[in-house]
């Protein structure tokens, strides 16, 4: 048995691969649930009810999906150009803390229609800076950005921790380490009354569409793809490699920073060091499940968010640790990689 | 000068060896994988799983050495998965490794929570005790500084020597290095690159598992989520720092641990004048600096991160 490269990738298979990957991941997790002695189908039923079963559950899933769309896009645009940004988690936190720093007082006098976009931009720029550093090290010294972005995640969270126990500490938080809250004019309007769902979701979807158009229709989109597929060929064909990668990093880091900004302005109002339950890392999975397609990111983020939101309810009902959601989502990344492999190769005897 | 007095305390040097141990195991494991041409970013998750599995085995009545063995076997199994995906299928080593890390760590948390229900205080085990070496441990200063470690620490140091010998002075090591430099040439010499890579990844991942288990079976006595704290990523940086040589990996891990142990003590010496987070950042920033310094000088295995498929170039 060996593998033979297909002459071309069957489109149906490419489109079906995320579904196949998710089903396979659910099957393997199902075996784990069965091993734990719990009814598998009922567990998945509980997850479905917990994430889509009521209006409240559904808005909660959408709220959870919002940052994942941003971080998923951040990973997707970067990976497409072979910029291995694994630092979305750190960029998320720096974007968040930048918003807290500026949104508490500096922008408090502005009308909301001005303050909100301005703060989003500030969060995005903060995220950009965090990614430009490791990219600069790659371009200048040839340092692999995978490891540097990963290491910077820890630095970023410690930096945030330092600020919220120091200069940005909320004096009214009874000693809890949390940042000063952003002013009321920086709080994102709700999409649906009496839910946590905010306009950040609409922003995320709009940006996904914009990213798709940019990637599909602009010179930059073509250049970033070429830089990812074959950097040497791209350079030979006249693609300015360094500046393309810098633009990609600005976009990717900016999106991750924006994720943090929107989460602060939309959900919490202030920053703590547990603001993100791994949104940055989950974003990588979202991007891979979407096969790096910006519109696909929305669907993949929805699946991932549903697993996480649904698993909490399932855990309470059946007593299986909610970490099963993390397991399933991580597995779906691996199964997706295998599924994508078989869109390119076939087995021959 | 208080800041320099720290170096004169035996406790510092004992801590250096203790902090270095998981890093030595992890770095040697990652180094072995990379010498065969495969980057293993699963390390962070494999160390987490090793920490959990080793601890759980001992918690359920196994001997401490059996705990380390369990951690090694679990590591090797994740290595097998990594090898199947990156060697047989030739998938992206970056993304696969991250996937293994996410999978292995979430699986450890899941299994741990499933088997050990939430209690007020986390359950503990009796960890490895320091070995009393007759003669050496009783020496003034040197004794408490260097010879009050637990057995796995000495094992880690011995392992660096053994791995260095195997890699550079045995046919097996030559086969591993050749596969990492040029799998086509290795194949022409009658070495099967696929087998070599499977073996190197599984053995390397077993070492990562042991490195994780050291934390729960010797350094601490309980398991808690996120306890690996990026040590795996530090190991990946240390491999580059070591230029893919076990002796320098040992040196790098010790140097790194020295900074870490020093900053911990400096933190207490300086008190609240400087935010403690700044000290905690030092290890990560050190790793990045080490990467920058070594990036140009290091001689990377030439076939690192290149999939090998027969009949394809």
């Amino acid at each position: 048995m060996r593998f033979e490269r297909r002459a071309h990738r069957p489109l149906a298979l490419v489109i079906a691969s995320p579904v196949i990957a998710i089903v396979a991941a659910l099957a393997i997790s199902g075996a784990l649930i069965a091993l734990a002695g719990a009814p598998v189908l009922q567990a998945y039923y509980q997850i479905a009810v917990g994430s889509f079963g009521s209006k409240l559950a559904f808005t909660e899933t959408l709220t959870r999906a919002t940052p994942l769309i941003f971080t998923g896009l951040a990973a997707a645009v970067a990976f497409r150009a072979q910029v291995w940004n694994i630092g979305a988690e750190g960029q998320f936190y720096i974007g968040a803390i930048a918003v807290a720093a500026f949104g508490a007082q500096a922008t408090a006098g502005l009308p909301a229609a001005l303050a909100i976009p301005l703060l989003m931009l500030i969060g995005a720029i903060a995220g950009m800076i965090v990614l430009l550093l490791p990219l600069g090290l790659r371009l200048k010294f040839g340092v692999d950005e995978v490891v540097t972005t990963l290491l910077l995640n820890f630095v970023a969270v410690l930096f945030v921790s330092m600020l919220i126990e120091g200069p940005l500490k909320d004096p009214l938080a009874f000693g809890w380490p949390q940042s000063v809250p952003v002013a009321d004019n920086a709080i994102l309007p709700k999409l649906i009354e009496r839910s946590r769902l905010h306009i950040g979701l609409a922003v995320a979807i709009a940006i996904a569409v914009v990213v798709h158009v940019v990637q599909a229709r602009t010179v930059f989109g073509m250049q970033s793809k070429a830089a990812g597929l074959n950097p040497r060929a791209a350079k030979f064909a006249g693609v300015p490699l360094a500046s393309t990668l810098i633009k990609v990093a600005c976009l990717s880091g900016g999106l991750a920073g924006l994720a943090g900004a929107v989460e602060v302005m939309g959900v919490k109002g202030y920053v703590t060091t547990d603001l993100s339950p791994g949104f940055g890392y989950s974003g990588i999975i979202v991007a891979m499940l979407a096969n790096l397609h910006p519109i696909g990111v929305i669907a993949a983020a929805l699946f991932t968010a549903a697993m996480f939101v649904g698993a909490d309810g399932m855990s309470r009902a059946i007593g299986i640790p909610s970490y099963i959601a993390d397991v399933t989502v991580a597995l779906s990344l691996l199964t997706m990689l295998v599924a994508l492999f078989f869109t390119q190769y076939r087995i021959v005897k | 000068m208080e800041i320099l007095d720290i170096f004169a305390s035996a406790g510092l040097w004992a801590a250096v060896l203790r902090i270095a141990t998981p890093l030595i195991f992890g770095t040697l494991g990652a180094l072995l994988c990379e010498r065969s041409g495969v980057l293993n970013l699963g390390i962070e998750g494999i160390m987490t799983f090793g920490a959990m599995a080793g601890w759980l085995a001992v918690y359920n009545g196994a001997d401490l050495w059996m705990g380390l063995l369990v951690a090694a076997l679990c590591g090797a199994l994740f290595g097998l998965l990594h090898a199947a995906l990156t060697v047989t299928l030739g998938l992206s080593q970056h993304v696969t490794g991250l996937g293994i890390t996410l999978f292995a760590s979430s699986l450890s948390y899941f299994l741990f929570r499933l088997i050990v229900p939430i209690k007020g205080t986390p359950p503990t085990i009796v960890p490895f005790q320091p070995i009393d070496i007759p003669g050496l441990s009783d020496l003034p200063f040197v004794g408490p500084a260097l010879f009050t470690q637990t057995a796995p620490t000495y094992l880690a140091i011995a392992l660096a020597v053994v791995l260095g010998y195997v890699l550079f002075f045995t046919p097996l090591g030559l086969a591993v290095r050749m596969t990492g430099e040029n799998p086509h040439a290795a194949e022409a010499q009658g070495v099967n690159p696929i087998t070599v890579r499977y073996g190197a990844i599984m053995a390397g991942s077993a070492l990562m598992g042991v490195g994780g288990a050291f934390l729960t079976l010797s350094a601490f006595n309980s398991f808690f989520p996120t306890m690996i704290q990026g040590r795996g990523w530090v190991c990946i940086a240390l491999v580059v720092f070591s230029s893919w040589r076990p002796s320098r990996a040992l040196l790098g891990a010790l140097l790194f641990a020295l900074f870490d142990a020093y900053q911990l003590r400096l933190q207490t010496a300086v008190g609240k004048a400087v935010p403690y987070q700044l000290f905690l950042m030092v290890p990560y920033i050190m790793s990045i600096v080490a990467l920058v310094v070594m990036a140009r000088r290091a001689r990377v295995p030439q076939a690192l991160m290149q999939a090998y498929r027969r009949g394809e170039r």
Side-chain angles (χ1 to χ4, degrees):
Chain A
M1 189 191 88
R2 60 192 188 81
F3 304 112
E4 184 186 78
R5 198 179 262 276
R6 291 176 196 267
H8 47 99
R9 308 173 83 174
L11 188 64
L13 208 56
V14 175
I15 293 170
S17 47
V19 180
I20 298 168
I22 287 171
V23 170
L26 287 173
I28 302 171
S29 295
L32 278 173
I33 296 174
L35 209 67
V40 179
L41 288 179
Q42 206 196 329
Y44 284 143
Y45 174 73
Q46 291 286 348
I47 289 179
V49 169
S51 51
F52 294 112
S54 65
K55 192 180 144 194
L56 179 71
F58 189 48
T59 57
E60 200 53 33
T61 301
L62 290 175
T63 311
R64 189 72 171 255
T66 305
L68 289 173
I69 297 176
F70 285 119
T71 55
L73 288 171
V77 295
F79 287 12
R80 188 167 175 269
Q82 302 264 7
V83 172
W84 299 104
N85 175 17
I86 320 297
E89 186 78 4
Q91 292 142 24
F92 176 99
Y93 273 106
I94 299 298
I97 198 70
V99 163
F102 285 91
Q105 282 173 353
T107 63
L110 298 174
L114 207 60
I116 287 172
L118 186 65
L119 286 171
M120 284 184 176
L121 187 68
I122 288 172
I125 290 173
M128 268 177 218
I129 294 169
V130 181
L131 182 54
L132 282 176
L133 181 74
L135 184 80
L137 293 180
R138 164 176 159 183
L139 294 175
K140 194 128 178 54
F141 300 103
V143 182
D144 185 6
E145 72 275 21
V146 172
V147 189
T148 47
T149 50
L150 275 167
L151 290 166
L152 280 176
N153 286 340
F154 294 90
V155 178
V157 175
L158 285 167
F159 181 69
V160 167
S161 160
M162 187 173 87
L163 290 181
I164 65 179
E165 287 181 27
L168 290 179
K169 187 179 165 86
D170 183 0
L172 305 175
F174 304 105
W176 290 108
Q178 68 183 47
S179 80
V180 284
V182 293
D184 286 344
N185 69 336
I187 300 293
L188 298 181
K190 295 275 180 263
L191 270 184
I192 296 174
E193 284 297 312
R194 288 192 302 281
S195 78
R196 299 206 304 161
L197 189 59
H198 51 85
I199 59 157
L201 177 68
V203 177
I205 292 172
I207 287 183
V209 174
V210 171
V211 168
H212 172 61
V213 173
V214 167
Q215 287 192 341
R217 301 284 158 126
T218 67
V219 175
F220 162 69
M222 203 279 290
Q223 287 178 336
S224 69
K225 188 176 181 183
L229 286 176
N230 189 338
R232 281 170 69 188
K235 200 166 187 178
F236 188 71
V239 173
L241 209 53
S243 73
T244 303
L245 294 185
I246 289 171
K247 282 182 213 160
V248 167
C250 285
L251 188 56
S252 173
L255 285 162
L258 190 55
V262 167
E263 193 69 0
V264 170
M265 296 155 70
V267 181
K268 273 271 190 86
Y270 55 86
V271 180
T272 57
T273 48
D274 59 359
L275 182 68
S276 159
F279 285 135
Y281 300 106
S282 306
I284 296 166
I285 302 174
V286 167
M288 291 309 295
L289 273 179
N291 200 5
L292 309 186
H293 193 290
I295 306 298
V297 162
I298 301 171
L302 200 61
F303 160 73
T304 309
M307 281 305 298
F308 283 123
V309 172
D312 286 338
M314 184 279 297
S315 180
R316 278 192 298 274
I318 302 187
I320 295 289
S322 60
Y323 284 120
I324 194 69
D326 300 80
V327 175
T328 312
V329 169
L331 269 172
S332 68
L333 169 63
L334 294 175
T335 51
M336 181 67 184
L337 288 174
V338 176
L340 282 177
F341 173 81
F342 284 108
T343 64
Q344 277 182 314
Y345 287 85
R346 70 168 112 233
I347 301 174
V348 289
K349 292 256 167 66
Chain B
M1 189 63 188
E2 201 179 359
I3 293 171
L4 290 176
D5 283 347
I6 296 173
F7 288 106
S9 82
L12 173 85
W13 299 98
V16 167
L17 286 173
R18 190 172 61 242
I19 294 171
T21 305
L23 299 175
I24 297 172
F25 279 117
T27 309
L28 292 176
L31 186 147
L32 181 55
C33 296
E34 292 185 30
R35 270 289 179 181
S36 80
V38 180
L39 175 70
N40 190 350
L41 291 182
I43 181 167
E44 182 84 3
I46 295 173
M47 286 179 85
T48 309
F49 201 92
M52 190 280 301
W55 184 89
L56 209 56
V58 175
Y59 182 64
N60 282 312
D63 168 30
L64 285 164
W65 287 102
M66 188 53 92
L68 282 188
L69 188 67
V70 167
L73 284 176
C74 291
L77 278 178
F78 281 108
L80 179 65
L81 178 62
H82 190 64
L85 296 174
T86 57
V87 178
T88 304
L89 300 186
L91 300 177
S92 157
Q93 296 179 8
H94 279 139
V95 186
T96 307
L98 288 168
I100 302 251
T101 280
L102 293 171
F103 173 52
S105 40
S106 51
L107 188 62
S108 348
Y109 306 153
F110 173 76
L111 292 176
F112 182 73
R113 262 293 147 265
L114 190 67
I115 298 168
V116 185
I118 302 172
K119 284 193 201 129
T121 52
T124 56
I125 51 131
V126 181
F128 278 103
Q129 299 302 315
I131 307 179
D132 195 32
I133 304 171
L136 291 176
S137 302
D138 303 327
L139 292 174
F141 188 75
V142 178
L146 300 181
F147 298 105
T148 52
Q149 300 297 321
T150 60
T153 298
Y154 301 116
L155 178 68
I157 294 167
L159 206 66
V161 179
V162 171
L163 187 63
Y165 176 79
V166 171
L167 271 180
F168 293 101
F169 298 100
T170 66
L172 179 65
L174 182 64
V176 171
R177 286 185 294 131
M178 199 154 58
T179 305
E181 297 293 336
N182 188 337
H184 299 276
E187 176 104 71
Q189 290 287 322
V191 171
N192 185 341
I194 308 280
T195 318
V196 169
R197 284 189 172 173
Y198 264 85
I201 298 170
M202 288 178 69
S205 303
L207 292 183
M208 297 169 187
V210 172
F214 177 83
L215 291 174
T216 47
L217 299 184
S218 181
F220 309 105
N221 56 6
S222 60
F223 174 82
F224 51 92
T226 71
M227 74 183 301
I228 301 298
Q229 282 291 330
R231 282 184 179 84
W233 311 133
V234 168
C235 290
I236 296 287
L238 282 173
V239 174
V240 179
F241 177 78
S242 76
S243 287
W244 290 267
R245 289 174 174 275
S247 56
R248 289 192 207 164
L250 178 63
L251 195 71
L254 289 171
L255 201 63
F256 183 90
L258 175 61
F259 272 92
D260 206 16
Y262 182 71
Q263 65 90 6
L264 278 171
R265 278 157 183 76
L266 198 60
Q267 218 170 302
T268 19
V270 174
K272 291 223 164 165
V274 182
Y276 68 93
Q277 291 95 341
L278 279 182
F279 291 104
L280 294 179
M281 282 179 203
V282 170
Y284 306 111
I285 293 172
M286 278 268 307
S287 305
I288 295 174
V289 171
L291 282 172
V292 173
V293 171
M294 293 308 292
R296 282 272 186 258
R297 261 180 267 172
R299 240 195 48 67
V300 187
Q302 289 301 299
L304 184 62
M305 288 191 270
Q306 287 171 16
Y308 176 73
R309 292 196 185 90
R310 283 205 180 88
E312 254 185 50
R313 297 190 65 200

